[in-house]
Each structure stands twice: as structure tokens, then as C-alpha cells.
Amino acid sequence: MILTTERLILRPWEETDAESLYQYAKDERVGPIAGWPVHTSVENSLEVIRNVLSVPETYAVCLKEDGTAIGSIGLMIGERSNIDLPDTEGEIGFWIGVPFWGQGLIPEAVRELTRHAFEDLLLDKLWCGYFEGNDKSKRAQEKCGFTFQRTDKDIHWKIMDDIRTEHITRLTREEWNRII
């Protein structure tokens, strides 16, 4: 599936995106705050595309003007989520390369994935999370109508093997219908 917005194309990741993925995922300001390690090489990024990003409902965030992958957004439905959801609910995760911060591109992508989740997949609720200190993610979620639900403290985050505090936000189909 390919989704489009005014400035973006959300499409499945391709192996040819490995170089672009590495360019943005090697920046220490991106992965660790989002919960994943800095990429160490183009080969590492290719492995991530093959083993992590090539799953249903995970999309490369690409600029419409040239098709370059500059970030990622995904919808993890039901048991695929990190927060134990029923099959009628999903969790959205996202990140974007540092040169594109502050341009409203991630809220644009989140709004389109939210539309897809509620209109095409008929989900009832969407959830998002952000780790303590990730104010950019918090603001993006708030801009898209997600509201704070709870804080989970002292959780072991396996992929980084550390202890974190995660704030969980939610948007229901009814709330989304009121804001569109």
C-alpha cells in the first residue's frame, strides 16, 4: 500500500533505501531517544530493512519531490504492538531525520496513517508512546490529537537494554472524527 499527503509518500521500505536510511539513522539524536540503536553502516541499515522494517503497515516516509526516504512510520496492530493491544487497536511509531525536524512532516505522516487506520482498517483506537525527554515526539502526538493516558516507569527496553520511562497517548476514532 502507498499513502500520499501534500508533501510525502508513505510506501513500503525497499532494499535500495539502505543508503538513505543509514544517512539519517546513524545520527545519535534520532534512534536512541526513539528506542533503537544508532545504525553503524549501510549494511546494518539494509539488515534493518530486511528484518525490522519489511513488515505490514510499516512505511518509509519519503519526500514527494524526489522519493528519498527520510524517516519511518509504522502501525503495529494488536499483539504486534509494544503495549499489549487487542486486534481492534494499533500503536503508531515514527521518526524522521534531523534535517527535516521542525517542518511538520511527521505530523503530516501521522495524520495520514491515522486516517488509514480509522477509515481503511476500521480500528477503534490508536496509541503512541514517547520516552522521557523526547519532547519532539510528544509535540507531534499532541498536534495530531493524541492525549496523555498514563506513564510507565522503570520499564526494561530490550533493544537498548536500558531502563526507561514511557508516556502513553491515545486517540479514539470518535475523537479523530471530531478533529478532522
Side-chain angles (χ1 to χ4, degrees), residues 17-38:
D17 295 320
E19 198 166 309
S20 180
L21 175 58
Y22 174 63
Q23 179 180 348
Y24 301 114
K26 69 182 179 183
D27 193 310
E28 293 181 2
R29 295 171 288 179
V30 177
I33 193 90
W36 45 270
V38 171

Side-chain angles (χ1 to χ4, degrees), residues 75-78 81 83 85-92 113-114 117-118 121-128 146 149 169-176:
L75 177 61
M76 298 159 287
I77 299 170
S81 97
I83 52 176
L85 299 177
D87 289 342
T88 57
E89 300 178 16
E91 176 187 3
I92 293 180
L113 194 59
T114 298
F118 288 138
L121 302 176
L122 304 176
L123 297 182
D124 296 327
K125 293 178 188 169
L126 292 176
W127 300 82
C128 263
F146 285 79
Q149 297 299 303
T169 64
R170 184 197 70 202
L171 179 66
T172 66
R173 181 199 306 264
E174 294 76 26
E175 291 165 340
W176 178 73

Side-chain angles (χ1 to χ4, degrees), residues 107 130 134-144:
Y130 61 92
N134 192 345
D135 294 333
K136 291 178 185 341
S137 185
K138 175 185 178 184
R139 281 195 301 277
Q141 292 171 40
E142 290 170 347
K143 286 178 185 178
C144 295

Side-chain angles (χ1 to χ4, degrees), residues 10-166:
L10 310 180
R11 60 158 173 80
W13 282 91
E14 300 168 356
E15 290 188 3
T16 54
D17 295 320
E19 198 166 309
S20 180
L21 175 58
Y22 174 63
Q23 179 180 348
Y24 301 114
K26 69 182 179 183
D27 193 310
E28 293 181 2
R29 295 171 288 179
V30 177
I33 193 90
W36 45 270
V38 171
H39 288 206
T40 56
S41 65
V42 173
E43 293 74 25
N44 175 218
S45 292
L46 179 59
E47 180 182 321
V48 169
I49 289 170
R50 288 177 176 159
N51 300 319
V52 178
L53 300 175
S54 292
V55 294
E57 300 301 333
T58 296
Y59 302 90
V61 176
C62 304
L63 294 173
K64 229 181 203 181
E65 62 193 42
D66 63 9
T68 302
I70 59 169
S72 187
I73 190 165
L75 177 61
M76 298 159 287
I77 299 170
E79 64 184 26
R80 285 193 50 235
S81 97
N82 293 309
I83 52 176
D84 193 29
L85 299 177
D87 289 342
T88 57
E89 300 178 16
E91 176 187 3
I92 293 180
F94 54 81
W95 66 268
I96 195 164
V98 173
F100 305 97
W101 287 4
Q103 298 178 31
L105 294 169
I106 279 297
E108 188 174 318
V110 170
R111 286 185 194 101
E112 177 56 18
L113 194 59
T114 298
R115 183 210 59 76
H116 171 62
F118 288 138
E119 289 184 359
D120 302 333
L121 302 176
L122 304 176
L123 297 182
D124 296 327
K125 293 178 188 169
L126 292 176
W127 300 82
C128 263
Y130 61 92
F131 294 116
E132 186 73 36
N134 192 345
D135 294 333
K136 291 178 185 341
S137 185
K138 175 185 178 184
R139 281 195 301 277
Q141 292 171 40
E142 290 170 347
K143 286 178 185 178
C144 295
F146 285 79
T147 56
F148 175 80
Q149 297 299 303
R150 72 174 192 267
T151 296
D152 295 337
K153 294 183 180 215
D154 300 324
I155 58 170
H156 178 250
W157 196 251
K158 280 191 256 181
I159 192 168
M160 296 294 286
D161 192 26
D162 60 13
I163 303 298
R164 295 175 175 234
T165 295
E166 184 176 23

